[in-house]
Amino acid sequence: MTNSSNDMNQELLSALDNFGKVEIGDKVTGEVLTVDDKEAIIGIDASGVEGILTAKEFSNDRDIDLRKELQRGEKLELIVVSRLNPNKSNGSFLLSKKRIEAQKVWEDLQSDFDNNARFDVTVSQVVKNGLLVDIKGVRGFIPASLISTNFVRDLAPYLGKTLKVEISEVDKSKNRLVLNHRIIEEEEKVAAKESIYSKILPGDEIQGTVRRLTNFGAFIDVGGIDGLVHISEISYNHIDQPSDVLKVGEKVNVKVLTLDKEKDKLSLSIKALQPGPWDKLKEEVSVGDTLDGIVKKLTDFGAFVEVMPSVEGLVHISEISWNHIKVPADVLKVGEEVKVKVINIDSEKKRLGLSIKQLVENPNKEEIQEAEDFEIPEESHGFNMADVVNNDK
């Protein structure tokens, strides 16, 4: 007998030894022998035994009719789930199609995880600590901490929303699939920053959206990056807090004050695009006008009086009273409301001259008038020093 014949005999003997060996968990191929609405009898290839494929193990659809899905003679790839009662005449093993498909899905998901693949998923349910989505027929979970780069307090708006995600963790044995949307946002923000920083310069006027309000200012989204409008740059008028004049989601025009790409800092201003208080003063106030004001500061040389938000004028000590005063504090107090008369305006230099005394009658007017009206007697008009000297002699 030749060596070739010996080899063939060995292969045949090995095949005969293994023929009919079917183990739990094996992937097998089989042929549909018979089928009704709820189950199909499958002849397992190269085994000499049969298995049962139930509607439940074919699909998750409870109303499925296998007669509409399978045909006699059709070949299927299946997985062996369990051994059946050997006394059953219609099959020795329970087979499953949906489980082998699920297994393939988990294998695909593991491959996707290894390759940092990304998917668009739709949020199907909001739970206490995150979001649930369906990905390739497997339920995935997005923890609240992996939803956004910002803290998310209310998850409800995400229901039905489509998000791009990356797999953070996959574990088939625990049926665990954790997804991450935050990493996508982080990359998008980096790209947006690069784009924005390459387009804007200090002095530019751009539009943004109020994203967050704090006690010290407002954070404005200007196309993927946030810039800060400090409370002092929101309005020329005094405001106690930004929420007094701004709302989250509001569209605002801002001016770029400074930007530092390295430190990722962008300073913006809203009030810089509004008419300044001195511009308003120039348009609305003229020399000679009477204004209401509040004493803001007292010095030895005068009083500073605010006549409109961010506009103060000086009432020189000589313009406070017709009577002589040593210091302004003798007659005025900080916070006191006073009426003032505008006596000069220099909007360019932001100087405003005011007077309090010119709005009241001079109490010494009669004395001054008498002094102005006084005339030297005619008999003294010829008076000279020579006459006085001669008389003395």
Side-chain angles (χ1 to χ4, degrees):
M1 185 178 289
T2 63
N3 290 335
S4 176
S5 297
N6 288 333
D7 291 341
M8 289 179 64
N9 289 335
Q10 289 297 328
E11 290 177 3
L12 179 60
L13 290 172
S14 177
L16 290 172
D17 288 340
N18 290 306
F19 187 82
K21 288 186 177 180
V22 177
E23 302 291 342
I24 308 290
D26 283 353
K27 292 180 181 179
V28 299
T29 56
E31 179 181 341
V32 178
L33 302 179
T34 63
V35 59
D36 60 27
D37 59 334
K38 293 300 181 183
E39 66 179 35
I41 305 301
I42 307 297
I44 301 175
D45 291 353
S47 69
V49 296
E50 297 173 353
I52 298 175
L53 174 62
T54 64
K56 183 178 180 181
E57 289 297 334
F58 181 83
S59 170
N60 288 322
D61 184 355
R62 295 181 180 181
D63 299 323
I64 195 167
D65 185 344
L66 291 183
R67 291 172 299 188
K68 297 179 180 179
E69 304 294 331
L70 299 174
Q71 294 180 348
R72 290 182 60 184
E74 184 178 349
K75 288 284 189 178
L76 299 174
E77 186 176 9
L78 307 165
I79 191 168
V80 180
V81 178
S82 62
R83 187 181 295 275
L84 299 176
N85 188 333
N87 295 326
K88 292 186 67 126
S89 60
N90 58 351
S92 302
F93 296 93
L94 176 63
L95 306 175
S96 177
K97 180 176 182 290
K98 74 175 187 180
R99 297 194 194 194
I100 199 169
E101 290 175 346
Q103 189 176 71
K104 287 181 178 179
V105 168
W106 282 101
E107 291 173 355
D108 289 344
L109 290 173
Q110 182 63 53
S111 176
D112 293 332
F113 171 72
D114 295 337
N115 292 291
N116 299 317
R118 292 177 174 180
F119 311 88
D120 288 325
V121 296
T122 301
V123 178
S124 59
Q125 189 177 348
V126 173
V127 293
K128 183 178 179 181
N129 298 315
L131 309 172
L132 296 180
V133 303
D134 181 81
I135 177 170
K136 296 185 177 182
V138 176
R139 174 171 286 187
F141 178 61
I142 309 176
S145 61
L146 297 182
I147 294 175
S148 174
T149 54
N150 303 315
F151 174 72
V152 180
R153 187 179 303 277
D154 183 11
L155 300 179
Y158 283 92
L159 184 62
K161 189 174 182 180
T162 298
L163 303 174
K164 187 175 289 293
V165 296
E166 184 175 290
I167 299 175
S168 287
E169 182 182 348
V170 56
D171 189 336
K172 178 182 179 297
S173 64
K174 296 180 180 179
N175 199 35
R176 181 177 174 83
L177 179 64
V178 180
L179 306 172
N180 187 340
H181 174 65
R182 186 182 69 190
I183 191 172
I184 309 296
E185 274 197 4
E186 289 172 347
E187 292 179 1
E188 289 175 347
K189 283 194 172 185
V190 170
K193 285 177 182 178
E194 292 293 332
S195 176
I196 291 295
Y197 281 133
S198 67
K199 295 177 182 178
I200 62 174
L201 294 170
D204 286 352
E205 298 178 15
I206 54 179
Q207 187 180 71
T209 303
V210 179
R211 191 182 62 78
R212 184 161 62 96
L213 297 173
T214 68
N215 291 332
F216 58 84
F219 287 93
I220 311 297
D221 183 343
V222 290
I225 64 173
D226 288 345
L228 174 65
V229 178
H230 189 269
I231 188 170
S232 63
E233 289 296 331
I234 293 177
S235 174
Y236 284 107
N237 299 325
H238 171 75
I239 58 174
D240 292 324
Q241 52 189 7
S243 58
D244 290 342
V245 294
L246 295 174
K247 294 181 180 179
V248 173
E250 180 181 355
K251 298 288 185 181
V252 291
N253 292 321
V254 293
K255 182 176 182 178
V256 178
L257 298 181
T258 61
L259 60 87
D260 189 329
K261 182 178 178 181
E262 299 302 321
K263 295 182 179 180
D264 193 21
K265 289 185 178 180
L266 178 63
S267 297
L268 308 170
S269 175
I270 294 175
K271 78 176 188 181
L273 298 181
Q274 301 170 347
W278 287 91
D279 296 326
K280 184 178 180 181
L281 179 82
K282 185 177 180 180
E283 293 177 0
E284 299 180 1
V285 178
S286 302
V287 172
D289 287 353
T290 299
L291 306 174
D292 292 320
I294 298 175
V295 178
K296 289 293 185 177
K297 182 181 178 182
L298 295 173
T299 67
D300 290 341
F301 58 84
F304 287 92
V305 177
E306 184 181 64
V307 295
M308 61 174 56
S310 300
V311 175
E312 293 182 5
L314 174 64
V315 181
H316 191 268
I317 189 171
S318 63
E319 289 294 333
I320 293 176
S321 174
W322 290 107
N323 298 321
H324 173 72
I325 59 175
K326 292 183 179 179
V327 290
D330 288 344
V331 295
L332 295 174
K333 294 180 180 179
V334 172
E336 181 179 354
E337 295 183 0
V338 294
K339 286 189 177 294
V340 292
K341 181 179 180 179
V342 179
I343 56 178
N344 61 71
I345 300 174
D346 190 336
S347 297
E348 299 301 321
K349 295 181 179 180
K350 296 183 179 180
R351 292 179 180 176
L352 179 65
L354 305 172
S355 175
I356 294 175
K357 76 177 188 180
Q358 291 189 33
L359 293 178
V360 297
E361 189 173 354
N362 185 352
N364 304 316
K365 183 176 181 180
E366 293 183 0
E367 295 180 7
I368 294 173
Q369 188 62 48
E370 290 177 358
E372 291 177 348
D373 293 343
F374 177 77
E375 294 183 4
I376 300 175
E378 290 186 4
E379 57 269 21
S380 65
H381 288 178
F383 173 83
N384 60 52
M385 184 59 67
D387 293 337
V388 175
V389 173
N390 292 332
N391 290 333
D392 286 343
K393 289 181 181 180

